[in-house]
Amino acid sequence: MPPVLETRDLTIRFGGHVAVDSVSCAFHAGTLTAIVGPNGAGKTTYFNLMSGQLTATSGTTMLDGEDISTLGAAGRAQRGIGRAFQITNLFPNLTVAENVRLAVQARGKAAASLFSLWSRHRDWIDKADHYLEQVNLAGVRDTVAAALPHGDKRKLEVAIMMALEPRVFMFDEPTAGMSVDEVPVILDLIQKLKDEGTKTILLVEHKMDVVRSLADRIVVLHNGRLVADGEPAAVIASPVVQEAYLGQAPKAEAAHV
Amino acid sequence: MLNSLLSGDYPKSRVLSGVLVAILVGLAFAPFLFSGAAAINTAAKICIFIVLVASYDLLLGYTGIVSFAHTMFFGIGGYGVGLGLYAFGASWGVLAIGILIALMVAVVLAFLIGLLSLRVRAIFYAMITLAVASAFLILATQFSEYTGGEDGRSFSVPPVLRPGFRLFEAPVFGVTINGRILAYYLVFISAVVLFLLALRVVNSPFGRVLQAIRENDMRAEALGYRVVYYRTVANCLAAAMAVLAGAMSAIWLRYTGPDTTLSFAIMLDILLMVVIGGMGTMYGAVVGATLFIVAQNYLQKLMGTASAATEGIPLLPKLLHPDRWLLLLGVLFVLSVYFFPTGIVGRLRGEKR
Ligand SMILES: Nc1ncnc2c1ncn2[C@@H]1O[C@H](COP(=O)(O)OP(=O)(O)OP(=O)(O)O)[C@@H](O)[C@H]1O
Ligand SMILES: [Mg+2]
């Protein structure tokens, strides 16, 4: 099967700093790929390049074999690339329900309708409530997003992406800063998505036990370069990852295990 | 019925509902409730500014666009009607064509400004609108052969709207229904319809996207909303509504000129009204415009009385002299922004920020 999402020699330079350096990688439907690497490795930047928040200095991004490098974030979202952000990125003065409903609406036919009443689009409301229940936020649906505690904000962040019903899910440290009893809600959700068997899931995650339990494959970024890619057990055991996580520079060659 | 009219967007405060009903009743029966030309002039001006301020709230309060070109669109409406009636005679056809041409010019202009500059940072966008509006003001005053220059143009309106016209022979409730009163009701009904339309737009799916863009344009884009498209449409809608307000103003005043439509003093007034009333609430436009215009018209009289009453006390009479009314208004403005950062409407709804 051809990959759903693929990058070829994707590179971005911030001044002299190369944050993502010639990364080529393909992601397939029905798989969950974990992207790991130390702080500042370029994981979020790599995500931003694929979902269109940033424009690459060089290289290409392909969706279903089609070059989407010139497409903006909105165009990519419309084609089914969903993104949840590491730094929560909500509509702070709108309610929780409104936040999610906006995501549902984005996929709806009457998304830009001028004279219909927003409150009368029952199907959007119901679907939004469905996703709120999935992340245990139904109880705070009428709370303003800015007033939520951190853990709930992270859940809302995920619910917004879920409500977009994308084909590609990009989770950027979805459980960071969450309390231990909240984490399983998100992990179960990701597991369920994975069990559907048709979605392309990308997950940036620091917690190795999470990665080990969820990932079909691990990609390691270090200093913007792809330094390892393969089966979770093998990648975790590989010296290049051990060294990267100890914070030392890896050997020059990328290890393909 | 009421739900549909208000688009499900109720005042959500008992006091606010009361204030709004009082304003509505006051404006609806202004010719019967208040005597004298000054009072009905004030009422008409309030109607016109409610529309103008509501259209500006669509930009500033709902979409988060800071534009200084709003009086330009107001002026395009005024001049479209005014110059048309001046040049081609006072008929309804000319009036309609004047409004139509003004709408087209304004929407094209708003579209161009939007496309060219809504991608840039908000501060640059504000500067660009300022530059375009200044250029327009200069054009309108320089091409005096066509526009009447600084003096503007006085013109006739269709006969039905003239003071000499009588709808009935006998007075109604002691008021003679002449063309001026018909003109007032034309303005009033237009204002009600346009305001309710604006309320509908902000409560539509489109309107909710505008709020999302105001809140976080980057996330809106990430959900698949093309922010530039939405901002541009909002710009065109607000411009069109300002044009209609300008047309209402021209019909009412039977005059159009830079001072009544294009000046930056009016731009400043609009800003004050929307902030005092409460941004992003629509009802703020009603409360803000009414309060501001009433204050503008009656504060001076009140201050005259106060100044005379405090004769003999040092400094106070000077401070209260009617010429200082802007100073007092400025102080009131600063105080209101300080104590009610969400405007009067936000305050009445009990919102904290
Ligand atoms: N907009 C930007 N301008 C300049 N430098 C940037 C920008 N965005 C990211 N960088 C730099 O690129 C590098 C990679 O950052 P990135 O956020 O992608 O790392 P990360 O792998 O997601 O790290 P973390 O695990 O801490 O989230 C960092 O050195 C960062 O400072
Ligand atoms: Mg990151």
Side-chain angles (χ1 to χ4, degrees), chain B residues 117-135:
Chain B
S117 49
L118 279 175
R119 289 166 199 274
V120 300
R121 293 237 309 275
I123 176 75
F124 294 117
Y125 181 75
M127 305 300 272
I128 289 166
T129 57
L130 198 57
V132 173
S134 311

Side-chain angles (χ1 to χ4, degrees), chain A residues 14-15 17-20 37-48 54 86 172-173 204 206 221 224:
Chain A
F14 295 118
H17 179 70
V18 188
V20 171
N39 289 108
K43 305 178 294 292
T44 298
T45 308
Y46 185 47
F47 266 19
N48 282 337
L54 290 172
Q86 178 178 6
D172 196 347
E173 302 192 27
V204 170
H206 274 296
L221 289 184

Side-chain angles (χ1 to χ4, degrees), chain A residues 66-78:
Chain A
E66 195 190 328
D67 189 346
I68 55 162
S69 304
T70 54
L71 214 55
R76 295 185 195 199
Q78 283 170 4

Side-chain angles (χ1 to χ4, degrees), chain A residues 78 89 93 98 102 157, chain B residues 200 208 215-216 219 224-225:
Chain A
Q78 283 170 4
N89 203 345
N93 291 311
E98 287 174 334
L102 275 160
E157 178 70 37
Chain B
R200 173 54 64 109
R208 220 38 78 113
E215 292 289 304
N216 186 345
R219 186 57 186 252
Y225 297 111

